[in-house]
Amino acid sequence: MTSVPDWLQLQRIVLFTGAGLSAESGVPTYRGAGGIWREYRYQDYACQRAFERDPVKVLDFHALRRASVQACAPHAGHAHIRQMQARHAGIRVITQNIDGLLQRAGVAVDAELHGSLWRLRCPVHGVQVDEAAAEFACRRCRHCPPATAPWLRPDITWFEDAVDADLFEHAAMLVDDAELFVGIGTSGAVWPAAGFAERARRRGARMIEINPEDNDASALYDERLRLPASQGLPALFPLDRP
């Protein structure tokens, strides 16, 4: 079985996580069997046009997603990443997930590429954290005059949105420095995030994948663990080293 017994001696390790990591906690994926976008049309719930057309419908949908995520708990894979960071200051986490499970597990996340279910955005006052409950604490900006307060938009990169260029550049710099790049539960199908694995490979990083099944990006990895993250991470990164 693939393992990295000397991982504590490496300077920089990037863990690149996708929906498969959260699926083990019960969070629905997006494109696979049972995925959200097989049941719902993004054009109705997850794009700026839908929000402008019917903000209540879009916010109701995202409140349901928050409730679904809130009912899930971080698993042993999340906990192992937290323990890795406690042992090694060079562990960097880049995630495509918007569910916040990594943070709930105590993991320091360096880049949330696609935003978070637990933040909202006002066009005037910017990002506002809303983590208390599934239902949003406030759907219109409380900092704006009540008569003109705009609807708060989920701080998520929706379909048809441009990505946050500064955030992606920050993530790219982390990838460029990686000696080891580990893809965890990511399909490699969502661009431009999917390009990070190819970038790491070009830069000469050791490439390892943790995923129960092959996917679009598997060919980029030199070593593949066909295991869920809760099993693959402890196998790959043993903690019982001096």
mmCIF file of all heavy atoms in Angstrom, residues 12-38:
data_model
loop_
_atom_site.group_PDB
_atom_site.id
_atom_site.type_symbol
_atom_site.label_atom_id
_atom_site.label_comp_id
_atom_site.label_asym_id
_atom_site.label_seq_id
_atom_site.Cartn_x
_atom_site.Cartn_y
_atom_site.Cartn_z
ATOM 1 N N ARG A 12 6.658 21.138 2.001
ATOM 2 C CA ARG A 12 5.324 21.621 1.658
ATOM 3 C C ARG A 12 4.493 20.499 1.039
ATOM 4 O O ARG A 12 4.895 19.866 0.074
ATOM 5 C CB ARG A 12 5.413 22.776 0.670
ATOM 6 C CG ARG A 12 4.102 23.469 0.402
ATOM 7 C CD ARG A 12 3.763 24.455 1.515
ATOM 8 N NE ARG A 12 4.672 25.595 1.473
ATOM 9 C CZ ARG A 12 4.722 26.536 2.397
ATOM 10 N NH1 ARG A 12 3.939 26.461 3.449
ATOM 11 N NH2 ARG A 12 5.555 27.543 2.281
ATOM 12 N N ILE A 13 3.315 20.265 1.616
ATOM 13 C CA ILE A 13 2.363 19.265 1.128
ATOM 14 C C ILE A 13 1.041 19.969 0.874
ATOM 15 O O ILE A 13 0.517 20.663 1.750
ATOM 16 C CB ILE A 13 2.164 18.127 2.146
ATOM 17 C CG1 ILE A 13 3.484 17.395 2.413
ATOM 18 C CG2 ILE A 13 1.088 17.144 1.667
ATOM 19 C CD1 ILE A 13 3.410 16.423 3.584
ATOM 20 N N VAL A 14 0.486 19.807 -0.322
ATOM 21 C CA VAL A 14 -0.818 20.371 -0.646
ATOM 22 C C VAL A 14 -1.847 19.252 -0.689
ATOM 23 O O VAL A 14 -1.681 18.257 -1.405
ATOM 24 C CB VAL A 14 -0.790 21.121 -1.989
ATOM 25 C CG1 VAL A 14 -2.215 21.423 -2.470
ATOM 26 C CG2 VAL A 14 -0.008 22.427 -1.855
ATOM 27 N N LEU A 15 -2.920 19.414 0.090
ATOM 28 C CA LEU A 15 -4.067 18.520 0.052
ATOM 29 C C LEU A 15 -5.171 19.240 -0.704
ATOM 30 O O LEU A 15 -5.633 20.310 -0.289
ATOM 31 C CB LEU A 15 -4.526 18.175 1.472
ATOM 32 C CG LEU A 15 -3.468 17.617 2.416
ATOM 33 C CD1 LEU A 15 -4.085 17.295 3.783
ATOM 34 C CD2 LEU A 15 -2.792 16.380 1.837
ATOM 35 N N PHE A 16 -5.583 18.652 -1.815
ATOM 36 C CA PHE A 16 -6.560 19.272 -2.713
ATOM 37 C C PHE A 16 -7.849 18.457 -2.635
ATOM 38 O O PHE A 16 -7.905 17.329 -3.103
ATOM 39 C CB PHE A 16 -5.994 19.287 -4.140
ATOM 40 C CG PHE A 16 -6.900 19.900 -5.168
ATOM 41 C CD1 PHE A 16 -7.320 21.218 -5.048
ATOM 42 C CD2 PHE A 16 -7.310 19.178 -6.280
ATOM 43 C CE1 PHE A 16 -8.144 21.798 -6.009
ATOM 44 C CE2 PHE A 16 -8.121 19.745 -7.249
ATOM 45 C CZ PHE A 16 -8.539 21.053 -7.107
ATOM 46 N N THR A 17 -8.869 19.015 -1.998
ATOM 47 C CA THR A 17 -10.047 18.224 -1.677
ATOM 48 C C THR A 17 -11.255 18.597 -2.521
ATOM 49 O O THR A 17 -11.442 19.756 -2.895
ATOM 50 C CB THR A 17 -10.414 18.354 -0.187
ATOM 51 O OG1 THR A 17 -10.987 19.639 0.063
ATOM 52 C CG2 THR A 17 -9.183 18.184 0.698
ATOM 53 N N GLY A 18 -12.077 17.574 -2.775
ATOM 54 C CA GLY A 18 -13.293 17.761 -3.545
ATOM 55 C C GLY A 18 -14.494 17.135 -2.874
ATOM 56 O O GLY A 18 -14.439 16.713 -1.711
ATOM 57 N N ALA A 19 -15.589 17.026 -3.614
ATOM 58 C CA ALA A 19 -16.871 16.614 -3.054
ATOM 59 C C ALA A 19 -16.824 15.218 -2.446
ATOM 60 O O ALA A 19 -17.584 14.915 -1.518
ATOM 61 C CB ALA A 19 -17.949 16.677 -4.130
ATOM 62 N N GLY A 20 -15.937 14.357 -2.955
ATOM 63 C CA GLY A 20 -15.858 13.004 -2.420
ATOM 64 C C GLY A 20 -15.464 12.966 -0.959
ATOM 65 O O GLY A 20 -15.837 12.035 -0.229
ATOM 66 N N LEU A 21 -14.689 13.949 -0.513
ATOM 67 C CA LEU A 21 -14.319 14.009 0.903
ATOM 68 C C LEU A 21 -15.562 14.208 1.756
ATOM 69 O O LEU A 21 -15.750 13.544 2.779
ATOM 70 C CB LEU A 21 -13.329 15.149 1.137
ATOM 71 C CG LEU A 21 -12.912 15.391 2.587
ATOM 72 C CD1 LEU A 21 -12.081 14.221 3.112
ATOM 73 C CD2 LEU A 21 -12.122 16.699 2.721
ATOM 74 N N SER A 22 -16.443 15.115 1.347
ATOM 75 C CA SER A 22 -17.651 15.392 2.111
ATOM 76 C C SER A 22 -18.708 14.311 1.938
ATOM 77 O O SER A 22 -19.534 14.089 2.838
ATOM 78 C CB SER A 22 -18.233 16.741 1.687
ATOM 79 O OG SER A 22 -17.335 17.794 1.986
ATOM 80 N N ALA A 23 -18.702 13.624 0.795
ATOM 81 C CA ALA A 23 -19.695 12.578 0.547
ATOM 82 C C ALA A 23 -19.638 11.491 1.610
ATOM 83 O O ALA A 23 -20.662 10.892 1.965
ATOM 84 C CB ALA A 23 -19.486 11.973 -0.838
ATOM 85 N N GLU A 24 -18.448 11.256 2.148
ATOM 86 C CA GLU A 24 -18.292 10.238 3.185
ATOM 87 C C GLU A 24 -19.001 10.644 4.472
ATOM 88 O O GLU A 24 -19.324 9.797 5.313
ATOM 89 C CB GLU A 24 -16.809 9.998 3.439
ATOM 90 C CG GLU A 24 -16.505 8.676 4.093
ATOM 91 C CD GLU A 24 -15.019 8.409 4.239
ATOM 92 O OE1 GLU A 24 -14.203 9.089 3.572
ATOM 93 O OE2 GLU A 24 -14.683 7.519 5.034
ATOM 94 N N SER A 25 -19.284 11.928 4.633
ATOM 95 C CA SER A 25 -20.055 12.416 5.777
ATOM 96 C C SER A 25 -21.551 12.437 5.490
ATOM 97 O O SER A 25 -22.353 12.764 6.368
ATOM 98 C CB SER A 25 -19.605 13.836 6.160
ATOM 99 O OG SER A 25 -18.341 13.831 6.767
ATOM 100 N N GLY A 26 -21.913 12.145 4.239
ATOM 101 C CA GLY A 26 -23.317 12.161 3.857
ATOM 102 C C GLY A 26 -23.751 13.373 3.074
ATOM 103 O O GLY A 26 -24.933 13.513 2.742
ATOM 104 N N VAL A 27 -22.826 14.268 2.747
ATOM 105 C CA VAL A 27 -23.157 15.454 1.949
ATOM 106 C C VAL A 27 -23.301 15.025 0.487
ATOM 107 O O VAL A 27 -22.392 14.398 -0.062
ATOM 108 C CB VAL A 27 -22.062 16.534 2.078
ATOM 109 C CG1 VAL A 27 -22.401 17.738 1.196
ATOM 110 C CG2 VAL A 27 -21.908 16.962 3.535
ATOM 111 N N PRO A 28 -24.417 15.339 -0.171
ATOM 112 C CA PRO A 28 -24.583 14.941 -1.573
ATOM 113 C C PRO A 28 -23.498 15.542 -2.461
ATOM 114 O O PRO A 28 -23.057 16.673 -2.246
ATOM 115 C CB PRO A 28 -25.959 15.509 -1.946
ATOM 116 C CG PRO A 28 -26.667 15.707 -0.649
ATOM 117 C CD PRO A 28 -25.597 16.060 0.344
ATOM 118 N N THR A 29 -23.051 14.775 -3.450
ATOM 119 C CA THR A 29 -22.123 15.304 -4.440
ATOM 120 C C THR A 29 -22.920 16.133 -5.451
ATOM 121 O O THR A 29 -24.114 16.360 -5.287
ATOM 122 C CB THR A 29 -21.368 14.169 -5.145
ATOM 123 O OG1 THR A 29 -22.315 13.277 -5.755
ATOM 124 C CG2 THR A 29 -20.521 13.384 -4.146
ATOM 125 N N TYR A 30 -22.235 16.541 -6.521
ATOM 126 C CA TYR A 30 -22.883 17.434 -7.465
ATOM 127 C C TYR A 30 -23.220 16.765 -8.792
ATOM 128 O O TYR A 30 -24.318 16.930 -9.299
ATOM 129 C CB TYR A 30 -21.991 18.664 -7.698
ATOM 130 C CG TYR A 30 -21.847 19.465 -6.430
ATOM 131 C CD1 TYR A 30 -20.820 19.212 -5.539
ATOM 132 C CD2 TYR A 30 -22.785 20.431 -6.105
ATOM 133 C CE1 TYR A 30 -20.717 19.922 -4.353
ATOM 134 C CE2 TYR A 30 -22.699 21.150 -4.918
ATOM 135 C CZ TYR A 30 -21.649 20.881 -4.042
ATOM 136 O OH TYR A 30 -21.563 21.561 -2.862
ATOM 137 N N ARG A 31 -22.293 15.973 -9.320
ATOM 138 C CA ARG A 31 -22.507 15.423 -10.650
ATOM 139 C C ARG A 31 -22.659 13.908 -10.674
ATOM 140 O O ARG A 31 -23.111 13.356 -11.647
ATOM 141 C CB ARG A 31 -21.343 15.825 -11.571
ATOM 142 C CG ARG A 31 -21.376 17.292 -11.924
ATOM 143 C CD ARG A 31 -20.108 17.711 -12.651
ATOM 144 N NE ARG A 31 -20.214 19.058 -13.154
ATOM 145 C CZ ARG A 31 -20.138 20.153 -12.402
ATOM 146 N NH1 ARG A 31 -19.939 20.043 -11.109
ATOM 147 N NH2 ARG A 31 -20.252 21.352 -12.933
ATOM 148 N N GLY A 32 -22.274 13.229 -9.615
ATOM 149 C CA GLY A 32 -22.350 11.777 -9.595
ATOM 150 C C GLY A 32 -23.762 11.272 -9.365
ATOM 151 O O GLY A 32 -24.743 12.018 -9.357
ATOM 152 N N ALA A 33 -23.881 9.956 -9.166
ATOM 153 C CA ALA A 33 -25.176 9.358 -8.866
ATOM 154 C C ALA A 33 -25.735 10.007 -7.600
ATOM 155 O O ALA A 33 -25.067 10.087 -6.585
ATOM 156 C CB ALA A 33 -25.024 7.856 -8.680
ATOM 157 N N GLY A 34 -26.966 10.459 -7.672
ATOM 158 C CA GLY A 34 -27.566 11.141 -6.535
ATOM 159 C C GLY A 34 -27.107 12.568 -6.364
ATOM 160 O O GLY A 34 -27.411 13.205 -5.353
ATOM 161 N N GLY A 35 -26.346 13.097 -7.333
ATOM 162 C CA GLY A 35 -25.807 14.446 -7.232
ATOM 163 C C GLY A 35 -26.890 15.508 -7.311
ATOM 164 O O GLY A 35 -27.959 15.310 -7.902
ATOM 165 N N ILE A 36 -26.607 16.658 -6.711
ATOM 166 C CA ILE A 36 -27.580 17.751 -6.638
ATOM 167 C C ILE A 36 -28.057 18.180 -8.017
ATOM 168 O O ILE A 36 -29.252 18.398 -8.243
ATOM 169 C CB ILE A 36 -26.957 18.946 -5.889
ATOM 170 C CG1 ILE A 36 -26.820 18.612 -4.402
ATOM 171 C CG2 ILE A 36 -27.815 20.206 -6.060
ATOM 172 C CD1 ILE A 36 -26.045 19.646 -3.617
ATOM 173 N N TRP A 37 -27.110 18.279 -8.982
ATOM 174 C CA TRP A 37 -27.501 18.825 -10.278
ATOM 175 C C TRP A 37 -28.129 17.786 -11.195
ATOM 176 O O TRP A 37 -28.448 18.067 -12.346
ATOM 177 C CB TRP A 37 -26.313 19.515 -10.945
ATOM 178 C CG TRP A 37 -25.728 20.563 -10.062
ATOM 179 C CD1 TRP A 37 -24.424 20.711 -9.708
ATOM 180 C CD2 TRP A 37 -26.435 21.608 -9.363
ATOM 181 N NE1 TRP A 37 -24.280 21.768 -8.843
ATOM 182 C CE2 TRP A 37 -25.481 22.335 -8.611
ATOM 183 C CE3 TRP A 37 -27.770 21.995 -9.298
ATOM 184 C CZ2 TRP A 37 -25.842 23.417 -7.815
ATOM 185 C CZ3 TRP A 37 -28.129 23.072 -8.499
ATOM 186 C CH2 TRP A 37 -27.161 23.767 -7.773
ATOM 187 N N ARG A 38 -28.346 16.580 -10.675
ATOM 188 C CA ARG A 38 -29.202 15.625 -11.370
ATOM 189 C C ARG A 38 -30.664 15.792 -10.955
ATOM 190 O O ARG A 38 -31.575 15.346 -11.628
ATOM 191 C CB ARG A 38 -28.748 14.186 -11.086
ATOM 192 C CG ARG A 38 -27.429 13.824 -11.752
ATOM 193 C CD ARG A 38 -27.028 12.405 -11.415
ATOM 194 N NE ARG A 38 -25.780 12.037 -12.056
ATOM 195 C CZ ARG A 38 -25.695 11.447 -13.244
ATOM 196 N NH1 ARG A 38 -26.789 11.153 -13.904
ATOM 197 N NH2 ARG A 38 -24.520 11.144 -13.758
#
